[in-house]
Amino acid sequence: MSTAARTPPRAGALRIGVFGGAFDPPHNAHVAVIKAALAQLNLDRIHVFPTGRPGHRLQPVTDFEHRARMAELAFAGMDRVVVDQSEMQRSGPSYTVDSVDVLRKKYPAAKLFLVVGGDQAKQIRRWHRWQDLLRLVTLCVVQRGAPSRGGAELAGAASAAPLNDKEQGPSSQPIEIYMSSLRLSSTDIRRRIAAGRDWATMVPVGVARYIDDQQLYRTT
């Protein structure tokens, strides 16, 4: 089941965000990223992709069904968010470019915006088919804290003139997204739960209840 997105009518092409992660568990910083992306990129909707079988890192600790359900609970009430479970429906390793390919075929006229953290952006050239990916999307990099010099204009930009269209189609100039400095980590939250330390305020209320109900992360 996916969270329904009620897209308001508008002129021009749809603006669709893409945000992936293990969400093991989803936490308040994930929610803050989504809110910032929706507002600063003027998105019609954003597709949240819980990772299926990642090909470039360790498998998530928790089964996909739990992580997808927690993502739905984390973004409940945000009417432009779609929790997309398509990565689990594919066999073999799942890559971001595959999810973007599906969206491009479904919405051929849409503008796609890939939202990533700063650390992920630095590693983007190691991603599977990264050149194909950057031809399909505008890269949007999350920055924590106040905008740097000139960043305010960049954060609100809808697109930028291509600098190298061989590497990126819609925009070779990444767009910066700014949000408050929430230093949260799913790994740290899992460790806190296993150790019996405080953690519940780090995740949305619905996620905290689900973790308790399902007795997730109780052992390392």
Side-chain angles (χ1 to χ4, degrees):
M1 181 176 68
S2 297
T3 304
R6 298 189 295 275
T7 304
R10 62 176 293 162
L14 281 176
R15 300 171 64 83
I16 300 176
V18 178
F19 183 56
F23 302 112
D24 197 14
H27 50 64
N28 294 334
H30 291 135
V31 176
V33 168
I34 292 292
K35 289 180 178 178
L38 286 169
Q40 295 177 38
L41 300 175
N42 191 27
L43 300 176
D44 293 291
R45 69 181 66 147
I46 185 165
H47 282 242
V48 173
F49 288 91
T51 304
R53 302 175 183 85
H56 61 286
R57 59 186 178 184
L58 295 176
Q59 293 291 325
V61 172
T62 310
D63 289 345
F64 181 89
E65 291 74 12
H66 285 308
R67 294 185 289 107
R69 180 58 183 149
M70 286 190 288
E72 289 178 339
L73 292 168
F75 306 116
M78 301 175 69
D79 63 6
R80 288 183 285 162
V81 179
V82 178
V83 176
D84 194 318
Q85 300 190 27
S86 61
E87 289 204 8
M88 194 57 191
Q89 298 167 7
R90 292 193 292 269
S91 60
S94 185
Y95 299 101
T96 299
V97 68
D98 298 323
S99 298
V100 170
D101 275 336
V102 171
L103 283 179
R104 172 57 64 209
K105 291 172 183 175
K106 189 173 182 180
Y107 305 102
K111 295 181 179 179
L112 302 181
F113 299 83
L114 177 63
V115 179
V116 301
D119 291 342
Q120 291 175 305
K122 293 175 183 178
Q123 302 294 323
I124 199 77
R125 290 173 183 255
R126 298 183 180 180
W127 289 26
H128 180 66
R129 290 176 53 206
W130 67 271
Q131 290 150 315
D132 293 334
L133 176 63
L134 295 185
R135 291 188 187 104
L136 296 170
V137 301
T138 294
L139 187 65
C140 304
V141 183
V142 176
Q143 305 287 359
R144 290 175 171 81
S148 57
R149 183 179 180 182
E153 292 81 6
L154 189 59
S159 61
L163 299 179
N164 182 354
D165 58 10
K166 292 182 179 180
E167 289 192 356
Q168 186 167 340
S171 170
S172 289
Q173 180 65 49
I175 295 175
E176 292 181 291
I177 302 170
Y178 291 92
M179 56 171 281
S180 58
S181 297
L182 292 176
R183 297 295 179 180
L184 296 176
S185 158
S186 295
T187 300
D188 179 57
I189 292 170
R190 294 196 303 269
R191 289 172 178 167
R192 284 173 172 270
I193 295 171
R197 297 165 59 197
D198 291 340
W199 60 273
T201 59
M202 300 178 177
V203 302
V205 173
V207 174
R209 289 174 180 165
Y210 187 86
I211 290 172
D212 278 338
D213 290 344
Q214 300 296 321
Q215 293 292 291
L216 300 179
Y217 313 121
R218 300 302 169 182
T219 58
T220 54

